[in-house]
Amino acid sequence: KQEVTQIPAALSVPEGENLVLNCSFTDSAIYNLQWFRQDPGKGLTSLLLIQSSQREQTSGRLNASLDKSSGRSTLYIAASQPGDSATYLCAVRPGGSYIPTFGRGTSLIVHP
Amino acid sequence: DADVTQTPRNRITKTGKRIMLECSQTKGHDRMYWYRQDPGLGLQLIYYSFDVKDINKGEISDGYSVSRQAQAKFSLSLESAIPNQTALYFCATSGGTGTGGPDTQYFGPGTRLTVL
């Protein structure tokens, strides 16, 4: 059974720092990996999706990488801003299934 | 307008009541999902449907039922609500080749349910 772990569970940083959020998974036979943002009490917003054949995806200040062999993905946030404060979740979809497994998320606070 | 909508957004009910949560989508996706989110536990899959005639149980289906009325509509029912079903409920869809990439999953805004 696929297990997805996100470390750290919580992170508090000053504005302007470059951040790395980690997502690890136990089964490397994945179809894709998706990063989401969730504001308190709100729904999940898709940030980036990486196919198993890809190494990274970029959107603005966000860059997500994927290393299947080591079972890891990282979400890099450049020049963090208070508006980046949210919980970030990763979800791994296994090959041959449409059911993703979610991590529990990293709660990020960026203070001015 | 939002692509995935959920009604109601908030609901307070009493133990033993029957509750229905509704989800509608305009993305034209075949696959729809119901999740439950509890603080510190992440997302748990309740039910999923890959087309109108396909309904599948997820990891925590006990006490819940669903109905796929049309491709665009997927409802979740709590037959007899109990306090430990107090949670945030999300509907999601996936399918096609949207701007986020093949099979990107899209979530509704959630329903906050409180069972007293």
Side-chain angles (χ1 to χ4, degrees):
Chain A
K1 178 184 175 183
Q2 179 75 272
E3 293 182 3
V4 179
T5 303
Q6 291 188 248
I7 294 174
L11 186 61
S12 180
V13 299
E15 181 177 7
E17 280 203 4
N18 299 323
L19 307 172
V20 175
L21 307 182
N22 297 293
C23 172
S24 61
F25 46 94
T26 54
D27 187 344
S28 62
I30 70 170
Y31 181 80
N32 64 35
L33 184 146
Q34 193 167 359
W35 281 94
F36 293 89
R37 169 186 172 136
Q38 184 179 25
D39 293 289
K42 306 292 186 182
L44 281 68
T45 300
S46 179
L47 297 174
L48 292 164
L49 182 143
I50 310 176
Q51 298 299 326
S52 63
S53 59
Q54 298 174 322
R55 295 300 301 270
E56 65 179 310
Q57 283 284 342
T58 298
S59 176
R61 293 184 294 111
L62 305 178
N63 175 278
S65 67
L66 175 64
D67 184 343
K68 282 197 310 178
S69 61
S70 65
R72 291 182 185 177
S73 177
T74 61
L75 179 67
Y76 177 82
I77 304 176
S80 59
Q81 303 170 359
D84 295 328
S85 299
T87 297
Y88 292 81
L89 297 94
C90 69
V92 176
R93 181 187 150 189
S97 171
Y98 289 113
I99 307 301
T101 299
F102 284 81
R104 294 188 179 187
T106 293
S107 177
L108 172 66
I109 296 176
V110 181
H111 48 86
Chain B
D1 289 342
D3 295 317
V4 184
T5 57
Q6 293 183 234
T7 56
R9 296 293 312 279
N10 289 282
R11 182 71 184 267
I12 300 173
T13 191
K14 295 182 178 179
T15 298
K17 294 292 187 180
R18 185 178 188 274
I19 299 297
M20 179 180 284
L21 309 182
E22 299 186 336
C23 176
S24 294
Q25 53 113 344
T26 59
K27 300 196 72 68
H29 289 166
D30 288 325
R31 295 187 287 275
M32 298 188 73
Y33 311 78
W34 275 104
Y35 291 94
R36 165 180 174 157
Q37 187 177 44
D38 297 272
L41 292 182
L43 283 162
Q44 297 175 279
L45 182 63
I46 307 173
Y47 270 95
Y48 60 100
S49 169
F50 289 166
D51 66 41
V52 175
K53 297 180 180 179
D54 177 78
I55 301 290
N56 304 279
K57 293 182 178 180
E59 53 189 311
I60 56 160
S61 59
D62 287 349
Y64 301 94
S65 63
V66 291
S67 173
R68 185 81 183 266
Q69 301 94 326
Q71 185 203 37
K73 295 184 182 295
F74 193 34
S75 300
L76 175 72
S77 293
L78 286 68
E79 299 301 325
S80 179
I82 56 177
N84 77 0
Q85 290 178 314
T86 293
L88 197 52
Y89 290 84
F90 290 107
C91 173
T93 75
S94 70
T97 55
T99 56
D103 208 41
T104 298
Q105 201 168 34
Y106 296 90
F107 280 75
T111 294
R112 182 170 297 281
L113 176 67
T114 302
V115 183
L116 302 175

